[in-house]
Amino acid sequence: MATPGPMPTPTDHSALEATERILQEIASVGRRLEAMDQKIMDLTMASSSIRADIAGFKDTADVLDQRLTTVEDQMATLPDQKIELRSLRAKVTDLEDRSRRDNIRLFGIPEHKEGSDSKAFLQSLLPDLFGIEFSPPVEFQRAHRIGPPHKATSDKPRPIIACFLGHDQARQVLSAAKTQGPASLDGHEIRVAADFFRLTNEKQKAFLEPFNLTSNLITPTHCPW
């Protein structure tokens, strides 16, 4: 029979326990190191994402800066563009007014008074209405009411616009209207105005309104031509 070995002493037990504690602490430190490694990796990824976001913000800022520069450049040219626009508007207004200088507008003539032939009606009416002897006889390119027919007979009659064959006859009528003042037809007051472009009418209205005046009667002295 084999001889049994020596029995473990208390000192041996203490050494084993100490070794186990050391191994446990080493394992705990390892686990903590692994957790720290994971946190470092997470922070690294977050840092990369932040750097990417910052780069994106910088690109956006560059684009916005370029757009702002473009807007500032465009704003710098606005005064010149406004001057050019005013000049073009003045030229268009002048051309429009000149193209209408053969026209007059008659206000107050009752609806349907002209019958089916507005030109023949005015050829007969104007010499008597204003005491004008036209030589040669007055002639029109066209004459008609302005706007759609009224639904109610009590509505204010639509004006008649008449385009003469020559500018001189239009001036004759305007001059006679200035001298004579409003005419009368079957008890209705008839007024005459030159045919101006919309912008000219708006300027005249803005000028006359503070004085409680009307631009229904425009004389040749007011014409730009």
Side-chain angles (χ1 to χ4, degrees), residues 49-137:
S49 176
I50 291 172
R51 284 197 296 271
D53 290 341
I54 292 174
F57 291 148
K58 184 178 182 303
D59 293 340
T60 302
D62 290 341
V63 172
L64 292 176
D65 182 64
Q66 292 175 0
R67 291 181 179 177
L68 180 60
T69 301
T70 301
V71 170
E72 289 175 342
D73 292 342
Q74 291 175 346
M75 290 181 65
T77 65
L78 279 179
D80 293 336
Q81 293 177 355
K82 287 181 178 179
I83 293 173
E84 184 179 357
L85 179 60
R86 283 196 295 267
S87 176
L88 289 173
R89 184 175 295 172
K91 289 179 180 179
V92 169
T93 300
D94 181 65
L95 289 173
E96 281 282 353
D97 285 338
R98 289 179 182 276
S99 71
R100 298 163 185 254
R101 64 180 186 171
D102 295 339
N103 300 352
I104 65 169
R105 296 191 180 208
L106 297 103
F107 300 86
I109 297 177
E111 289 281 339
H112 312 300
K113 186 70 176 178
E114 70 277 17
S116 61
D117 192 341
S118 297
K119 292 194 292 184
F121 170 73
L122 293 179
Q123 285 171 340
S124 173
L125 174 68
L126 291 181
D128 295 336
L129 199 61
F130 296 106
I132 304 173
E133 293 184 5
F134 291 100
S135 181

Side-chain angles (χ1 to χ4, degrees), residues 116-203:
S116 61
D117 192 341
S118 297
K119 292 194 292 184
F121 170 73
L122 293 179
Q123 285 171 340
S124 173
L125 174 68
L126 291 181
D128 295 336
L129 199 61
F130 296 106
I132 304 173
E133 293 184 5
F134 291 100
S135 181
V138 63
E139 293 187 67
F140 301 97
Q141 297 183 47
R142 57 188 177 276
H144 56 83
R145 296 274 182 181
I146 300 175
H150 294 315
K151 294 181 179 180
T153 56
S154 60
D155 288 340
K156 184 178 179 180
R158 295 169 295 161
I160 293 177
I161 185 169
C163 178
F164 291 82
L165 283 178
H167 175 52
D168 291 340
Q169 292 183 338
R171 288 181 63 89
Q172 277 185 273
V173 175
L174 291 171
S175 180
K178 174 189 174 183
T179 302
Q180 176 179 317
S184 179
L185 176 65
D186 298 338
H188 298 276
E189 184 179 84
I190 308 301
R191 304 182 72 90
V192 179
D195 180 36
F196 287 120
F197 183 46
R198 173 181 55 81
L199 293 179
T200 303
N201 286 330
E202 291 175 356
K203 289 181 180 178

